[in-house]
């Protein structure tokens, strides 16, 4: 794999997202729009309550709502009583800022910088709108704007580089997000995992650098949201194959490039869409 | 490279080339200079932050009282954020708070006064609409066609039209002249003044002051429709109709029962609920038919049938008394509290238990639809974590909002039940044991306080004179030297009309205390408003003429106003910042009524649905464009600074109302009774040692009382607008008119205590220092009523927590305290001393003592009107002292130097001792004359069996009901309602239950009007009620509507707000929830063949509407008494105006009301649902 200059995963910043504390208020979703000057988007009725139903060029943070079944235990004087009930879990989502961001590796124009803080940032001025980042992202994050360029969460790079936590972290009423030095956050996540809580974001596919900088934790009760939301494997196989190809057969790169740009790109994209669909289906099952 | 090829262009070209070559980014690094550092705010265009000024404001949405910092540059708002120092929100905000600034920047804001030129939609046409779409078509046919005018033209126009209406009325009725004097009967004056819980205290106060000057008691506000039932039920039980403790309390609870949805309606409250969960494992139990976001965050969901809260609460006590071993009444702590703090005897308790014995788990499960095991688990957890059971190691909180309050049995049953559960379980008055109704609007508690809760009640809950007799009694009280209840002797001549067990001096009972509390208020208004209320001559209360500028008697409420308009009793209305055309139930009726007014004046920041029916619309300002105080839901009063100047021609309502007064005066719309009587001043006289002593002459200066211009010291006006009408002067006036708000201005130090933004806890030794540091209560932030008490009624919580009393040093003395005392300025030293020693208790400060009883006028006779405006202290009043040598009349200096009492002008020398704290909680409060439960039981059985008999004979519950009322001479005839019993909503899903647990609605004749569709304009229209499913189906049959009958309840979301007039104009919020929908249970959806997103129709006795269905397992589909009862939840914050319009839920909600406070029953009613035939 070609190395873009990624800071080590235990350097820079990270965030622990404890969805047990989340009341689904979406202040984070609007704080993100507000800080980044993102225009309102016209939406319609959402069957899942999530709105817009996924990221857009103007919505870099979206709270997803998942309905599931849960076991709820209550401490009574006579011991624990368990009720099985429906449950709904909100999951505030944004770019996960992969430790080794595949979007940054994929960007042919070098528009995606990775800062020493670990923020993966698309530079609008350099973006050529090719969509490689979107195709490379296992979390479906970068979105094409009406100007043809791609947009996504910047980790509030213009805040974290100036002594402030990200806007969504600051606004959250219940302290869902803990922002801090990556080493500490990773340690916290590990100790949550040791307590038996579900953790997403560590020990991932090397495709994303093995871990991401926005790490999710939840109790058993709310874990269904994490399972429904995140792909079972943090990888985009078609893109992974392409990367492997580039790396192991440098002399063929030129041929590969021509093939990809001329014909291959279209089919690659189709394959990628298929792949996303089947992942989506898996999630729904 | 050509000139046109910029560096950026070059980069693009090279990138495209690289793309063609398939080169990865790393391979191109030599070509590309990557950006790796950013300036603060660079991405979203907020680089101006560095040089911005920061102003704290208080959020305008819910009642949490979050602070929002505005970063501004002149009138430009660069950014807003939660104030990091606020102990309420610690830098966070909910989504509404986050984008609240857009109310100040919205391009849809009204920027000029406007006069209507178009015709109004005719009432008949409105009332004929059977569907929402028909209604909108009618309304839109008659657009207002506004003409923009200047303020001068708008205000002159209003004044001329109102003067004509009132002068007509005065000349036809002779008012204010009456047989025995001069006064207005407030309900008869044909003007109504409404609004609003979104105004600041200063604005809401002025609106009620204006109403009083107009001579009307037809005053009300949004609180009627949200928590009037809470206010009344709690005030009658504990003494004050407010949340008992500030928000820190909920983090000290071990269990919380949510009968509401604070995660959505009050998101920041969850900071403290989650704190409790983290620190002590608080168990959160959410009772709600809907799987709200509060349920998501709670430990368990208890779906139950809307309107059956009483049954659940009664079962909790049933468990405590009958299932638990030992029963709680055998616990020593129960017995201690019963003998010291509740006014019940063993016999009363037996009566209560007799009632509770009927609420066993199976019965309650049948009523509510909650399985027995779940009910029992909830009761066990709640009781076992209570104060009486754990000796105050643990406590439970009951938290509620509209889900409890909007029912026809809210006051008499539901909220009374909550209040009683909290008392008997030893929770109230102990940290972590609060009774927490969460109020809605940012200043709804404040508006309630400064407007006395409406109906013509005076600021600070001083009831207006109920009759000329009461004014005579008041005059006699003045002659006695304005004594406290213990020094008041009820004159012989009054005893036949005023009943007390302690008429003579030296003793007091609740009747005396509550009456003196009212008198005391009237005196404050006389002094600050420059008016008169009493007899002429003043020394002859029995035979003199009654002259009273305060309107006599109570008036119409907001929910009953339409009927008053239809009958012509109200012809003109002012509505400040409120939108009843959306928020009233059965809004077709409200719209028709608004359209029938001769004059409707609306002030608001947007063209609301209510404004659509107005004659004149006045542009108000958003919260960020004005200053003043707001009282959050738990009584903490905070200052709101002005962040930006008003937009366009818009003006704060304080400016609007005070300026309007001048125009009304100029045009002769206002005529005070004292003026009609020719009274120009008051001769203040005391009766002393059998003789009448002249104390001083007080000139009447009503117009001066409306002059709020200028301002000195801390009250320097902040801009030209405030130089004309200065809210800081109004704030000082409130400080002096309202006993409960006394202390929000400190006249000794010339500071506004509400401006304090100090989040440090107090230290032991300071006033309430141990309390503050032990329970983590932020007492140095703002001010709280009463007298900065945060956790009310906590008489001995500190003693119990510490195991010994605490000692405080203040005002040069040591004080032994056992609970939270609050603080008051000491009349001798001018320093603060503990107020309620040893701790705050029920009904104080309603019951108080006054060192100046019989000695001087209030506040030592200082000229308060001048003082609050200029800071000059002068004492026209004198001090009357009895000495061995007879009665002496002293001036202030002489009195002050002989007694050392230099600061009576700051606190009126009020104090509280053991005697003042002896009033226990009114556990056995009676609402109606009659007997207790056991004696009533046979009548109750008789009433039920008659109802059953007539229903089976007539097949018509309406007819059967009216027949029972006629035959028994009333409804529930003879029950005092001292104990709460389950009663069905007016529209009941199961006819058997409607008979078994008859609704309480018919206790109030207004509801019978609704039942019979009176007044006559409503006859034959779709505006009534259907008492049970068969009746509804029969009503809909002629329209060809059939479907499944469901129980309806209404709901709003985090993203929506009330009438929607604000959130529907904030595009960011619209993005999250565009257009309304109904939540329906999946099982119902399957029966209907409806998938999520499909349209359904809902039909009621009021008509029908169409909305999308949100299908979920998170909506209750209950089994009640063996029968299927699906619940459908409708979002209600929409209507026909603005970019995000949609059907209004209140188009189909019923306008039957609670018999005591007339709050509407919008949380439990009936509809028939079907899949919409076409979209
Ligand atoms: S602001 Fe916090 S509580 Fe609200 S949705 Fe976002 S993460 Fe959840
Ligand atoms: S709406 Fe309520 S919770 Fe939200 S920011 Fe405003 S005051 Fe705070």
């Amino acid at each position: 794999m070609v190395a873009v200059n990624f800071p080590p995963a235990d350097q820079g910043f990270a965030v622990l997202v404890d969805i047990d504390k989340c009341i689904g208020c979406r202040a984070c979703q609007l704080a993100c729009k507000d800080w980044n000057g993102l225009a309102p988007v016209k939406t319609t009725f959402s069957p899942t309550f999530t709105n817009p139903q996924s990221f857009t060029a103007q919505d870099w943070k979206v709270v997803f709502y998942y309905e599931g079944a849960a076991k709820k235990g209550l401490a009574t004087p006579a011991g624990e009583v368990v009720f099985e009930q429906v449950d709904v879990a909100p999951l505030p989502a944004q770019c996960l800022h992969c430790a080794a961001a595949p979007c940054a590796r994929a960007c042919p124009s070098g528009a995606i910088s990775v800062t020493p803080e670990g923020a993966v940032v698309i530079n609008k001025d350099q973006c050529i709108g090719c969509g490689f980042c979107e195709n490379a992202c296992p979390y479906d994050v970068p979105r094409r704007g009406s100007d043809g360029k791609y947009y996504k969460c910047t980790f509030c790079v213009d805040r974290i580089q100036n002594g402030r936590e990200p806007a969504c972290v600051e606004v959250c009423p219940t302290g869902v997000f803990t922002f801090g030095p990556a080493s500490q956050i990773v340690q916290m996540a590990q100790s949550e995992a040791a307590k038996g809580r579900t953790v997403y974001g560590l020990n991932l596919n090397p495709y994303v650098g093995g871990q991401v900088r926005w790490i999710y934790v939840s109790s058993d009760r709310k874990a269904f949201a994490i399972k429904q939301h995140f792909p079972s494997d943090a990888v985009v196989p078609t893109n992974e194959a392409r990367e492997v190809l580039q790396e192991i057969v440098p002399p063929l790169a030129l041929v590969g490039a021509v093939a990809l740009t001329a014909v291959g790109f279209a089919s690659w994209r189709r394959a990628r869409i298929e792949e996303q669909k089947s992942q989506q289906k898996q999630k729904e099952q | 490279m050509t000139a046109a090829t910029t560096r950026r262009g070059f980069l693009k070209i090279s990138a495209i080339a690289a793309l063609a070559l398939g080169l990865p980014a790393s391979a191109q690094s030599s070509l590309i200079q990557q950006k790796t550092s950013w300036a603060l705010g660079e991405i979203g265009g907020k680089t101006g932050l560095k040089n911005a000024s920061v102003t704290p404001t208080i959020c305008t949405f819910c009642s949490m009282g979050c602070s929002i910092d505005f970063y501004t540059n002149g009138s430009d708002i660069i950014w807003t954020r939660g104030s990091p120092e606020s102990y309420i929100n610690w830098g966070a905000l909910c989504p509404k708070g986050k984008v609240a600034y857009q109310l100040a920047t919205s391009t849809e804001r009204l920027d000029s006064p406007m006069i209507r030129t178009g015709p109004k939609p005719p009432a008949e046409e409105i009332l004929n609409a059977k569907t929402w779409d028909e209604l909108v078509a009618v309304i839109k046919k008659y657009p207002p066609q506004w003409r923009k005018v200047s303020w001068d033209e708008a205000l002159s126009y209003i004044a001329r039209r109102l003067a004509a209406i009132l002068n007509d009325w005065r000349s036809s009725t002779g008012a204010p002249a009456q047989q025995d004097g001069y006064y207005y009967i407030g309900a008869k004056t044909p003007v109504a003044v409404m609004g609003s819980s979104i105004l600041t205290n200063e604005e809401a106060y002025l609106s009620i002051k204006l109403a009083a000057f107009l001579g009307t008691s037809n005053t009300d506000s949004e609180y009627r429709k949200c928590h009037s039932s809470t206010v009344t039920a709690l005030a009658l039980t504990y003494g004050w109709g407010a949340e008992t403790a500030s928000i820190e309390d909920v983090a000290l609870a071990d269990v919380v029962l949510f009968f509401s949805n604070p995660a959505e309606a009050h998101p920041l409250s969850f900071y403290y609920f989650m704190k409790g969960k983290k620190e002590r494992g608080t168990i959160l139990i959410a009772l709600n038919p809907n799987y709200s976001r509060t349920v998501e965050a709670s430990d368990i969901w208890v779906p139950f049938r809307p309107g059956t809260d009483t049954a659940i609460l009664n079962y909790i006590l049933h468990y405590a008394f009958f299932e638990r071993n030992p029963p709680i009444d055998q616990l020593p702590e129960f017995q201690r509290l019963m003998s010291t703090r509740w006014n019940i005897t063993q016999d009363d308790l037996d009566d209560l238990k007799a009632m509770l014995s009927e609420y066993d788990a199976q019965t309650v499960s049948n009523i509510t639809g909650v399985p027995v095991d779940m009910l029992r688990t909830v009761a066990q957890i709640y009781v076992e974590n209570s104060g009486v059971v754990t000796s105050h190691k643990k406590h439970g909180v009951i938290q509620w909002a509209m889900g409890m309050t909007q029912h026809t049995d809210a006051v008499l049953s539901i909220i009374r039940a909550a209040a009683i559960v909290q008392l008997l379980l030893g929770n109230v008055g102990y940290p972590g044991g609060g009774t927490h109704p969460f109020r809605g609007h940012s200043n709804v508690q404040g508006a309630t306080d400064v407007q006395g809760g409406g109906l013509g009640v005076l600021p600070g809950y001083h009831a207006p004179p109920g009759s000329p007799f009461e004014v005579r009694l008041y005059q006699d009280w003045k002659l006695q030297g304005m004594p406290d209840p213990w020094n008041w002797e009820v004159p012989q001549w009054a005893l036949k009309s005023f009943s007390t067990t302690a008429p003579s001096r030296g003793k007091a009972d609740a009747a005396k205390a509550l009456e003196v509390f009212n008198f005391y208020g009237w005196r404050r208004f006389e002094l600050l408003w420059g008016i008169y209320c009493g007899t002429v001559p003043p020394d002859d209360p029995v035979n003199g003429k009654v002259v009273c500028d305060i309107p006599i008697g109570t008036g119409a409420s907001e929910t009953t106003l339409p009927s008053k308009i239809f009958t012509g009793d109200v012809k003109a209305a002012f509505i400040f910042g409120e939108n009843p055309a959306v928020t009233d139930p059965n809004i077709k009726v409200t719209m028709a009524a608004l359209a029938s007014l001769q004059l409707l004046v609306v002030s608001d920041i947007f063209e609301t649905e209510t404004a659509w029916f107005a004659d004149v619309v006045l542009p108000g300002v958003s919260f960020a464009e004005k200053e003043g105080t707001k009282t959050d839901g738990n009584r903490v009063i905070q200052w709101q600074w002005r962040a930006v100047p008003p937009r366009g021609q818009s003006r704060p309502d304080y400016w609007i109302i005070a300026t309007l007064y001048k125009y009304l005066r100029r045009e002769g719309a206002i005529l005070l009774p004292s003026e009609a009587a020719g009274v120009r001043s008051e001769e203040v006289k005391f009766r002393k040692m059998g003789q009448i002593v002249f104390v001083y002459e007080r000139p009447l200066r009503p117009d001066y009382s409306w002059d709020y211009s200028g301002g000195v010291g801390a009250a320097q006006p902040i801009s030209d607008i405030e130089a004309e009408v200065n809210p800081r002067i109004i704030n000082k006036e409130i400080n002096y008119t309202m006993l409960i708000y006394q202390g929000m201005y400190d006249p000794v130090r010339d500071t506004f205590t509400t401006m304090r933004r100090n989040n440090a806890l107090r230290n032991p030794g300071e006033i309430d220092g141990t309390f503050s540091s032990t329970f983590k209560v932020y007492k140095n932030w703002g001010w709280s009523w009463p007298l900065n008490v945060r956790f009310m009624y906590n008489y001995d919580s500190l003693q119990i927590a510490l195991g010994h009393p605490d000692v405080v040093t203040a005002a040069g003395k040591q004080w032994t305290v056992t609970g939270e005392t609050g603080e008051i300025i000491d009349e001798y030293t001018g320093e603060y001393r503990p107020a309620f020693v040893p701790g705050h208790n029920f009904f104080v400060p309603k019951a108080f003592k006054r060192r100046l009883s019989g000695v001087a006028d209030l506040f030592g006779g200082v000229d308060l009107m001048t003082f609050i405006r200029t800071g000059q202290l002068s004492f026209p009043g004198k001090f009357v002292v009895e000495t061995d040598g007879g009665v002496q009349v002293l001036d202030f200096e002489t009195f002050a130097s002989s007694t050392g009492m230099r600061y009576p002008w700051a606190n009126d020398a009020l104090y509280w001792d053991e005697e003042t704290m002896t009033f226990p909680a009114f556990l056995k409060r009676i609402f109606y004359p009659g007997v207790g439960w056991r004696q009533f039981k046979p009548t109750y059985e008789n009433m039920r069996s008659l109802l059953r008999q007539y229903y089976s004979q007539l097949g018509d519950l309406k007819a059967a009901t009216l027949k029972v009322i006629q035959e028994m001479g009333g409804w529930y005839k003879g029950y005092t309602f001292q104990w709460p019993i389950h009663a069905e909503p007016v529209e009941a899903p199961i006819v058997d239950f409607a008979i078994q647990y008859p609704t309480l609605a018919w206790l109030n004749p207004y509801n019978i009007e609704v039942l019979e569709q009176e007044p006559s304009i409503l006859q034959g229209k779709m505006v009534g009620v259907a008492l049970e499913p068969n009746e509804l189906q029969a009503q809909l049959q002629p329209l060809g509507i059939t479907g499944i009958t469901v129980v309806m309840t209404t709901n709003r979301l985090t993203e929506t707000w009330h009438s929607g007039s604000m959130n529907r104009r904030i595009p960011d919020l619209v993005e999250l929830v565009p257009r309304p929908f109904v939540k329906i249970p999946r099982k119902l959806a399957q029966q209907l063949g409806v998938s999520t997103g499909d349209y359904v129709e809902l039909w009621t006795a009021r008509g029908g509407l169409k909305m999308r269905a949100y299908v979920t397992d998170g909506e209750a589909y209950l089994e009640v008494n063996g029968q299927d009862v699906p619940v459908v939840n409708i979002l209600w914050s929409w209507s026909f105006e603005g970019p995000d319009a949609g059907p209004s839920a209140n188009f189909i909600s019923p306008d039957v009301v609670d018999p005591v406070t007339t709050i509407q029953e919008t949380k439990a009613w009936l509809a028939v649902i079907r899949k919409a035939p076409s979209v």
Side-chain angles (χ1 to χ4, degrees), chain A residues 17 21-29 61 63 65 90 92 168 171-177, chain B residues 93:
Chain A
V17 186
K21 292 187 189 163
C22 177
I23 56 170
C25 72
R26 304 199 264 203
C28 50
Q29 186 168 332
K61 177 135 195 158
V63 179
Y65 299 85
C168 58
V171 83
C172 176
T174 49
V176 168
F177 310 104
Chain B
L93 286 173

Side-chain angles (χ1 to χ4, degrees), chain A residues 2 33-34 59 87 108 222, chain B residues 26 28 46 291 296 1071:
Chain A
V2 184
K33 286 186 84 103
D34 177 60
D59 294 275
D87 199 10
K222 301 276 177 190
Chain B
S26 51
Q28 312 154 26
K46 294 179 174 56
Y291 207 93
E296 292 169 20
E1071 177 181 339

Side-chain angles (χ1 to χ4, degrees), chain B residues 333-486:
Chain B
E333 182 55 13
F334 185 96
Q335 289 161 2
R336 180 183 79 91
L337 290 171
M338 179 166 154
S339 62
T340 56
R341 298 189 70 194
W342 312 330
N343 67 335
I344 49 166
T345 61
Q346 186 57 44
D347 187 55
D348 297 326
L349 185 61
D350 291 343
D351 197 49
L352 171 65
K353 283 167 63 178
M355 185 278 293
L356 292 173
S357 69
E358 301 187 8
Y359 291 84
D360 57 274
Q362 191 54 54
T363 304
V364 171
S365 173
N366 287 348
I367 295 173
T368 58
V370 183
V372 166
D373 62 333
M374 188 177 264
L375 270 177
R376 187 162 285 131
T377 305
V378 169
Q380 262 176 2
I381 292 175
Y382 201 68
V383 172
E384 298 313 318
N385 284 293
S386 69
V388 284
V389 168
T390 65
S391 293
H392 302 292
K393 302 262 171 335
K394 295 181 172 187
H395 296 100
V397 153
I398 299 185
Q399 197 283 314
W400 72 85
M402 309 305 84
M404 267 199 182
T405 63
Q406 295 174 339
H407 294 282
T408 47
D409 59 343
V411 175
L412 296 176
S413 293
I414 299 178
I415 295 159
R416 265 286 282 181
I420 289 177
V421 166
Q422 286 297 76
L423 263 185
L424 295 187
L425 292 182
N427 288 331
V428 163
Y430 297 93
T435 297
H436 287 275
F438 281 178
R439 307 296 305 262
H441 290 68
S442 56
N443 193 37
V444 60
Q445 183 63 52
T448 314
D449 300 336
V450 301
Q451 300 184 340
L455 312 183
V457 178
L458 295 161
Y461 305 106
H462 304 281
S467 64
F469 159 79
E470 225 180 331
V471 177
R472 296 183 187 281
L473 190 58
Y474 168 61
Q475 183 64 43
D476 193 85
W477 174 80
K478 287 201 270 183
L479 281 170
Q480 290 185 39
M482 305 161 202
D484 60 39
W486 282 264

